[in-house]
Amino acid sequence: MKNIEKALASLNILDPNYPRPAVADILMKQENRDLLEYVYRDPFGAHVFPGDIDNYSATDFFADLNHALKQNNPIHLWAYIPTCRYRCHFCQFPIVLINPKDPKSRDMFTKVIDLNISEARLWLKAVPHLADVPIGEFNLFGGTPSLLPVEELERLLDFYRTHFNFSEATLRLEGEPGSLTLPFLTAASYLGITKISFGAQSFSDEVIRSSGRMHNSQDCFEAVHNARMAGFEWISVDLIYGLRNQTVDLVRQDILKARELNLEHLVCTKLHLEDFMKTRTGVSMQRPSVWQKKIKEKNDSSKLNIPSLGEQYQMREIIDDLLLNDYNEHPNMYYYKKGNEPEKWKGIITDQDKQFPEIAIGVGGSSKCRGSESINYTEFSDYENAVINGKIPILSTKGISPLKQEIISFKMALSTCHPVIDEIHKEKFYGKSFFDNGHILNILTDLEKKELIEMDSNSVTLTKNGRVLSEAIINTV
């Protein structure tokens, strides 16, 4: 009860210069206290749904994955590069701190690539069909892959192109603004990378500094310019709302600047400080972030000058309003420019007619298929020891029961902000309607009463308020 009172109070703290967000009135209702509690606790769980069968062996996971790959559908393949030149104050990811200007850093970069290649070889041996299945998108994720010396980047790409089926693959690289120089981007483009993304988080220098970032807004603008000069056809920028010292007006300015940059893609996520390991994200946590520690010490996020819940939803409403005419949202929090294609790898893992396997190679990586999932070691030393000893560095595996598979499939589809179609569900689950699944039907009945979805005999669609609350909806039902 005490947390609900705090949540209600936070929801009612608003920026007087902006309208009260419509979703605030939804969250105030007694019947929506579960949603309010979820968003106030601030967990992360969009598109991530853990299995429900414990004590599931890695051998069984590999068998499930190999069976799924026999369908020959394009999959999403990650290579996680953990090297960073600093740790952001909100970061929980497993990273290896490195000074790229130090000559000794070359040895660490070489080690990271050696380990990634060695792990990939182990996956290829354990999952025979992995070498043949088409890779839909190959994603160099971080960490900060853009810190890699070009020679190491080329060595990594040469290995993957030689040992995996890249006949349909697009190549995507994540970077940090201060490292996205024109020479590096020109080299990356020459190596076949066509997509670049980076985390600006904000275009306010004050907010950037308070987040512990070492770039500035000008670095972000230059990174976009450099990527265009280097010939990249797809540029994505990550922004976060709800950051320390951030105001609603600053978020408005961020979105206006993003529109001015005419970006092909924009990610606008809410700050999340719940432990990532609890929710098994795409790359799981290594340790609590600086902000998590401070909030725990103070027992109050407002003392860290983090925006209230009400202000965060004002920010979200501003984002939606300013992007409405030029961008579509798919899946939730991911905005692509109208006339372009949505985020490819997200579509591979979330779209109702796909939801194909994903494999993450590297420290902390999370891999899954329809029947089970695994997560890698998050401590670099444990990860390194496992790979050196010839073992895929899996920390844990879980199975997914048939009932849970249906529920996960439905939730993933709902998160895309597109209608969930019963005929597609029937095709995937042997003629069974999602209306015949008692758990899903109870969810739908409840959400329709709350006016968070609209449905007919063959489809379910989130309403505007449902779309804003989609992350809470799919993780509380």
Side-chain angles (χ1 to χ4, degrees), residues 221-417:
F221 307 144
E222 288 178 5
V224 172
H225 173 74
N226 291 340
R228 292 214 166 100
M229 289 290 290
F232 280 85
E233 61 190 43
W234 189 94
I235 302 168
S236 180
V237 171
D238 293 356
L239 297 174
I240 298 178
Y241 66 96
L243 291 166
R244 188 179 186 186
N245 297 323
Q246 196 175 43
T247 64
V248 181
D249 198 54
L250 286 175
V251 170
R252 179 178 180 274
Q253 292 175 37
D254 283 347
I255 302 303
L256 290 174
K257 176 55 69 174
R259 285 177 47 184
E260 186 181 318
L261 291 170
N262 197 31
L263 298 165
E264 286 76 18
H265 192 268
L266 190 63
V267 182
C268 299
T269 57
K270 181 181 179 295
L271 173 69
H272 291 290
L273 292 175
E274 181 78 356
D275 289 353
F276 282 1
M277 183 63 87
K278 291 180 182 177
T279 45
R280 301 170 77 87
T281 67
V283 177
S284 294
M285 70 171 286
Q286 178 183 26
R287 58 175 58 91
S289 69
V290 172
W291 284 354
Q292 283 176 310
K293 292 175 182 176
K294 288 187 176 181
I295 289 172
K296 189 173 182 180
E297 290 169 5
K298 297 175 182 294
N299 196 31
D300 187 351
S301 62
S302 65
K303 292 179 181 177
L304 204 61
N305 205 23
I306 288 177
S308 69
L309 203 54
E311 290 167 327
Q312 289 174 27
Y313 281 115
Q314 286 179 306
M315 293 170 179
R316 172 62 191 261
E317 199 164 87
I318 285 288
I319 292 168
D320 284 347
D321 289 347
L322 290 178
L323 295 180
L324 178 65
N325 291 332
D326 300 318
Y327 290 82
N328 292 319
E329 185 180 9
H330 175 79
N332 60 318
M333 306 179 293
Y334 287 73
Y335 298 84
Y336 68 96
K337 194 166 181 61
K338 292 180 178 178
N340 292 341
E341 295 295 321
E343 180 77 287
K344 185 177 180 181
W345 68 269
K346 279 291 185 182
I348 289 172
I349 63 175
T350 64
D351 285 2
Q352 189 184 10
D353 62 342
K354 301 182 182 72
Q355 298 181 354
F356 303 140
E358 61 176 327
I359 296 171
I361 295 175
V363 60
S366 178
S367 306
K368 66 176 56 184
C369 60
R370 181 163 153 177
S372 50
E373 55 149 8
S374 73
I375 188 167
N376 277 4
Y377 285 110
T378 57
E379 288 293 338
F380 187 77
S381 59
D382 295 335
Y383 168 83
E384 181 181 13
N385 288 335
V387 174
I388 288 173
N389 288 304
K391 298 178 181 178
I392 295 181
I394 289 177
L395 172 66
S396 65
T397 55
K398 282 193 173 184
I400 305 172
S401 68
L403 176 61
K404 185 80 168 182
Q405 289 176 28
E406 272 196 76
I407 294 168
I408 288 176
S409 177
F410 181 85
K411 289 182 176 183
M412 293 279 276
L414 200 61
S415 79
T416 65
C417 304

Side-chain angles (χ1 to χ4, degrees), residues 80-82 106-122 148 151-153 155-156 159-160 361-362 380 383-384 387-388:
Y80 183 73
I81 308 300
R106 293 300 296 261
D107 292 338
M108 178 54 76
F109 286 126
T110 297
K111 176 190 282 190
V112 165
I113 299 305
D114 284 345
L115 288 170
N116 191 279
I117 289 173
S118 295
E119 184 193 347
R121 290 185 188 278
L122 294 170
L148 285 172
E151 297 81 2
E152 294 297 341
L153 176 62
R155 185 162 69 95
L156 185 71
F159 168 82
Y160 276 95
I361 295 175
F380 187 77
Y383 168 83
E384 181 181 13
V387 174
I388 288 173

Side-chain angles (χ1 to χ4, degrees), residues 435 441 444-445 448 453-457 459-461:
F435 294 110
L441 183 60
L444 297 180
T445 303
E448 188 176 41
I453 62 164
E454 295 172 346
M455 62 178 176
D456 56 31
S457 60
S459 67
V460 175
T461 307

Side-chain angles (χ1 to χ4, degrees), residues 166-178:
F166 271 38
S167 61
E168 301 178 20
T170 51
L171 278 62
R172 182 179 186 275
L173 182 140
E174 182 175 274
E176 183 257 327

